[in-house]
Amino acid sequence: MCGRFLASRPQYYPPMYDLADHQMTRGLEAYCMFVGTPYSGHTLVASLLDAHPNIIIAHELDALGLVENGIRRDELFRALIARSEAFTQDGRSWFGYKYLVSNQWHSRARTLKVLGDKKGGGSTQRLSRNRLLLDRLREVVQLPLRIIHVVRNPYDNLATLFRRHDAKRPMADIIPGYASACRLTAALSTDLGQDEFFQIRHENVIRDARGSLNSLLSFLGVEAPPDYLDDSARIVYTRPHRSRFDISWNKQDIETVDQICQEHLFLRGYTFEFDETDSP
């Protein structure tokens, strides 16, 4: 089944990557994945990491889905690298934003040490149905896991989800799915060690791109070249988009989200009125 699935997507397999004899993945030290809720800033962080000379992060491959379907290690690595390359060839544009870091290493590596996939919301949904997928992922990749959770103001998060996908549904119907993803992510942060799980706020990435990247790269176990930090910081917009003010909210929905913020340490300090120029 897995072979047929992959064969139907030839863009995952450019001829330049024949991993049976390829040296590229032999120095790998960690596998990176993202968890959390959609539209939290995962794409920005993942693309900044993909520009690093020791890191390749696929864009929306759904590696956990392939693992669930029985993919082999070499097939998965080939698919991850090729998916990153396809996103780069398309200009790294996603929902009107451009995530291309000029002069850096997108989809290539000087020495590949970290390989992974950016599918935060989808991976969280899969893990909510089957937590054993993490154990299966470990068996497949045979590498230490490095799991990144990007956190964003939940009102902006939900407003973006509402506008892009669920505008025909009331916000009250969307909030429970968000709350469920928060509970799963909180459980992962408790179950996994500090060497496996890292949380970072989207607002902090924008406020201090260099400092945030330094922390992320330390977590991933790679150096932070000055030219890479400079080029990466240049593409980070100066202020998060405050999506919550693009839609109308009722009082009950705001209070419900506020309660979710109180339930999870990683959301503490966020409010509807919160201004990202202040650190929560």
Side-chain angles (χ1 to χ4, degrees):
M1 177 178 178
C2 182
R4 290 195 298 273
F5 177 84
L6 293 171
S8 68
R9 289 161 171 78
Q11 69 271 28
Y12 294 165
Y13 293 89
M16 65 180 292
Y17 295 118
D18 179 4
L19 295 190
D21 301 310
H22 207 282
Q23 300 291 323
M24 192 177 208
T25 61
R26 296 189 180 181
L28 280 171
E29 298 176 358
Y31 179 86
C32 177
M33 63 175 285
F34 289 71
V35 295
T37 53
Y39 308 115
S40 295
H42 296 116
T43 302
L44 172 63
V45 172
S47 206
L48 293 176
L49 293 178
D50 184 85
H52 190 278
N54 303 129
I55 302 173
I56 291 179
I57 304 292
H59 177 73
E60 299 279 316
L61 177 66
D62 190 15
L64 274 188
L66 298 181
V67 166
E68 195 168 29
N69 284 326
I71 195 170
R72 298 192 307 270
R73 186 176 192 260
D74 61 336
E75 287 182 316
L76 177 61
F77 288 176
R78 188 188 316 177
L80 289 163
I81 294 169
R83 186 70 165 188
S84 169
E85 185 184 56
F87 191 40
T88 300
Q89 290 175 345
D90 287 342
R92 293 196 163 260
S93 295
W94 191 244
F95 285 107
Y97 293 97
K98 197 171 184 67
Y99 298 98
L100 185 69
V101 180
S102 299
N103 307 315
Q104 292 302 319
W105 289 77
H106 284 303
S107 312
R108 303 173 296 122
R110 182 183 292 127
T111 302
L112 184 59
K113 296 182 179 181
V114 180
L115 182 61
D117 184 30
K118 193 282 298 186
K119 186 72 172 173
S123 295
T124 304
Q125 289 179 358
R126 289 192 180 278
L127 289 172
S128 70
R129 297 191 294 268
N130 182 7
R131 290 282 294 277
L132 295 178
L133 269 178
L134 274 186
D135 293 332
R136 176 59 185 148
L137 177 64
R138 287 189 180 93
E139 293 173 2
V140 172
V141 300
Q142 302 169 35
L143 293 166
L145 297 187
R146 298 292 180 263
I147 299 173
I148 297 172
H149 176 209
V150 182
V151 186
R152 183 185 181 190
N153 185 307
Y155 294 98
D156 291 333
N157 216 159
L158 284 160
T160 305
L161 179 62
F162 177 83
R163 292 175 58 228
R164 290 183 178 171
H165 293 289
D166 294 302
K168 294 182 180 179
R169 299 169 57 202
M171 180 63 77
D173 288 350
I174 300 171
I175 292 173
Y178 176 86
S180 177
C182 287
R183 288 192 295 270
L184 186 279
T185 308
L188 288 174
S189 69
T190 300
D191 294 347
L192 299 172
Q194 291 184 349
D195 61 331
E196 287 189 310
F197 193 88
F198 186 89
Q199 287 183 155
I200 191 166
R201 288 192 164 185
H202 174 64
E203 295 82 12
N204 289 343
V205 174
I206 292 175
R207 183 184 302 112
D208 181 11
R210 290 176 178 82
S212 297
L213 283 171
N214 267 312
S215 297
L216 279 164
L217 297 175
S218 177
F219 169 69
L220 295 173
V222 297
E223 299 295 324
D227 66 315
Y228 160 79
L229 293 176
D230 290 342
D231 290 337
S232 296
R234 288 190 188 98
I235 79 158
V236 178
Y237 22 94
T238 58
R239 183 182 180 90
H241 180 57
R242 303 171 76 182
S243 307
R244 60 191 181 278
F245 298 130
D246 294 339
I247 67 171
S248 297
W249 293 78
N250 63 51
K251 182 179 179 181
Q252 180 58 54
D253 290 341
I254 291 175
E255 291 176 351
T256 300
V257 178
D258 186 61
Q259 181 59 41
I260 295 171
C261 291
Q262 298 308 311
E263 292 172 2
H264 299 291
L265 184 61
F266 60 83
L267 293 178
R268 296 278 175 84
Y270 284 122
T271 68
F272 188 79
E273 296 80 14
F274 169 68
D275 187 329
E276 290 86 351
T277 59
D278 299 321
S279 179

